[in-house]
Amino acid sequence: MRRKLPARVIAPLACATAAALIAGLGHAWPRPAPAAAQAASLRTAGWSQSWGAAMQRPLAGGEDEGPNWSVEGFGDHSLRQVVRLSAGGAQVRIRLSNLYGTRPLRVAAAAVARSAGGAQAWPGTTAALKFGGTRSATVAPGADIVSDPLPLVTAPLEKLAVTLRFTGATGPATFHRFTTQPAYRASGDHLSDVGAGAYTRSTDALYYLAGVDVTGGTGENGAGTVVAFGDSLIDGVGAAPGADARLPDALAERLAAARSPLGVVNAGIGGNRLRHDSACAGEKATARFARDVLDRPGVRAVIVHLGANDIRDTPGDPCLRPGGPATAAQVIDAQRRLVRAARARGLTVVGTTILPMKGALFPVWTPQVEKNRDAVNHWIRTGGAYDAVLDADRIMADPADPDRPRLSYVYQDGLHPNDAGYQALARGIDLRGLR
């Protein structure tokens, strides 16, 4: 049975996606000016990000979300993490982050292999990664590093196993708190192991690995990256573990079926807010937007879903401190800041309405929260700030009570989409608006 997720992680968010949407549910606005579109096209040349995650400060795990290794870090260990690419190419490289590290991160060696499921690698596919021509790398506190290009032909939706070897204490680890794909740890040097026997421990979190980039793919529309940016709905709360069933996953599958070379990056953080940092849910969205969206290689479009954690009313929740519930006007103002930043870089920007919150099995809803949700959603639909709107609210709403989500689309917490809900949202995306 899937464990119950904590209230602080399962903060509402209505997904996100690209340009035009389900007939009658979305509103398309004018595309960026030609000069901005040309600038965006120039940035997509070369490398694109095929997989990515938003990094967070070390945080001890709890009873609900399970343990993690971020506070203790790593010592004499091999760390294997499996990622599913959204777009393929002829070369790959990885990005490692020591954003919240307290000391230099020393990586003795790193390797990539084709995944054979779990912590296993396909025999004969392991290849060493290099950094500036050497096998080892040191990442300064607050910095990240990109590996040298590795010739490796990859296909959309292919899974890679990325293994990092540490020989000394790393200190607390920069990580991503929630994931549906475990990370695996082995004591000692098991960098090139094909089997999973040594990888006896796992956690549902990611460590240091911030992105996997590709280049050299083919496609008449060229390469590029779509970043899904937001809170727990983007992060994938409610999706089945190990099933690649989150909204960005479903979008990547649709793009792959359409033979589009676009990459899709999941830059969601469960519980994230627009206006305030959180010890549990990362830096505020307005502060992390440049790092998690604008600075990713090849980005041409961003899907935004935020605001639910700002307006919700959950007294006593330590993850909502500092700052109490925001007004609709404050949420709208913060979203406008994100749109302006994206516009300045020539990106297509897609807004997503906040999904129904009434009926959640933890306290997030009040009549005032509903008033703010309605006001924010009305602005997203009609304000003209976004190039397009995905009306997740109407897609997810119960026809008998639109303030509640329909049971066939909702996870057991009564709020987040289940796999069917995420698929329904993904089906509302007009892929032509992302290319």
Side-chain angles (χ1 to χ4, degrees):
M1 173 179 282
R2 189 184 312 172
R3 66 174 179 266
K4 182 178 181 292
L5 294 172
R8 63 180 180 274
V9 175
I10 44 185
L13 356 66
C15 63
T17 355
L21 313 130
I22 295 178
L25 295 181
H27 306 271
W29 302 102
R31 297 301 303 274
Q38 183 179 15
S41 177
L42 290 174
R43 284 197 306 278
T44 65
W47 292 93
S48 300
Q49 193 150 101
S50 185
W51 175 92
M55 295 289 99
Q56 298 176 246
R57 297 181 186 278
L59 176 70
E63 179 180 354
D64 290 318
E65 75 267 31
N68 69 66
W69 303 315
S70 67
V71 174
E72 65 182 275
F74 300 87
D76 181 15
H77 291 119
S78 299
L79 172 66
R80 181 163 292 177
Q81 301 177 96
V82 178
V83 301
R84 188 175 78 156
L85 302 182
S86 52
Q91 297 182 83
V92 300
R93 66 186 187 188
I94 69 168
R95 293 173 173 264
L96 300 178
S97 175
N98 193 25
L99 181 63
Y100 300 110
T102 59
R103 65 181 76 172
L105 172 65
R106 293 183 171 85
V107 180
V112 65
R114 301 189 193 276
S115 171
Q120 299 179 100
W122 279 107
T125 67
T126 300
L129 290 166
K130 291 186 178 181
F131 303 84
T134 65
R135 291 291 307 275
S136 62
T138 300
V139 191
D144 60 11
I145 191 171
V146 180
S147 72
D148 298 343
L150 174 70
L152 178 66
V153 176
T154 55
L157 309 184
E158 179 175 4
K159 291 187 177 182
L160 298 181
V162 179
T163 309
L164 306 178
R165 171 74 174 119
F166 307 106
T167 55
T170 64
T174 296
F175 86 134
H176 182 81
R177 181 185 180 197
F178 170 77
T179 179
T180 59
Q181 174 63 57
Y184 305 93
R185 188 172 78 178
S187 296
D189 185 1
H190 296 278
L191 183 75
S192 301
D193 283 20
V194 170
Y199 289 91
T200 57
R201 299 186 63 189
S202 66
T203 70
D204 292 335
L206 289 161
Y207 307 87
Y208 301 121
L209 187 60
V212 178
D213 305 338
V214 298
T215 192
T218 60
E220 60 179 336
N221 296 308
T225 300
V226 179
V227 180
F229 180 74
D231 42 28
S232 59
L233 182 141
I234 300 297
D235 211 2
V237 171
D244 299 305
R246 301 166 297 177
L247 178 62
D249 299 324
L251 173 58
E253 290 169 3
R254 290 200 60 210
L255 287 166
R259 298 187 180 277
S260 169
L262 285 174
V264 181
V265 166
N266 187 334
I269 296 179
N272 198 226
R273 295 185 289 174
L274 283 158
R275 302 174 61 249
H276 295 286
D277 296 347
S278 168
C280 313
E283 291 182 65
K284 60 186 178 182
T286 49
R288 71 182 184 94
F289 189 72
R291 177 179 69 247
D292 286 341
V293 177
L294 304 180
D295 293 344
R296 295 193 188 262
V299 61
R300 64 165 59 175
V302 57
I303 297 161
V304 176
H305 179 273
L306 285 155
N309 294 302
D310 294 85
I311 64 172
R312 72 183 177 109
D313 190 4
T314 310
D317 187 340
C319 293
L320 293 183
R321 298 173 185 160
T327 66
Q330 289 171 324
V331 169
I332 290 168
D333 178 68
Q335 290 203 22
R336 286 187 187 277
R337 292 176 59 189
L338 300 183
V339 173
R340 286 195 296 269
R343 288 268 185 273
R345 294 286 292 271
L347 305 187
T348 295
V349 195
V350 180
T352 308
T353 53
I354 301 172
L355 51 67
M357 298 169 66
K358 186 179 178 181
L361 301 185
F362 55 96
V364 297
W365 186 91
T366 66
Q368 183 59 48
V369 168
E370 186 63 31
K371 286 181 63 177
N372 285 326
R373 187 181 79 93
D374 288 344
V376 172
N377 285 350
H378 178 74
W379 172 77
I380 292 172
R381 292 181 183 115
T382 66
Y386 289 101
D387 295 305
V389 175
L390 176 62
D391 206 331
D393 172 33
R394 290 177 179 166
I395 294 172
M396 290 292 297
D398 184 343
D401 184 353
D403 293 342
R404 296 175 179 267
R406 63 177 72 205
L407 292 181
S408 58
Y409 283 173
V410 75
Y411 175 56
Q412 65 190 31
D413 64 6
L415 176 66
H416 292 91
N418 56 20
D419 292 2
Y422 283 125
Q423 288 290 332
L425 291 167
R427 288 193 298 270
I429 301 166
D430 185 343
L431 303 183
R432 295 170 297 181
L434 297 177
R435 297 173 182 170

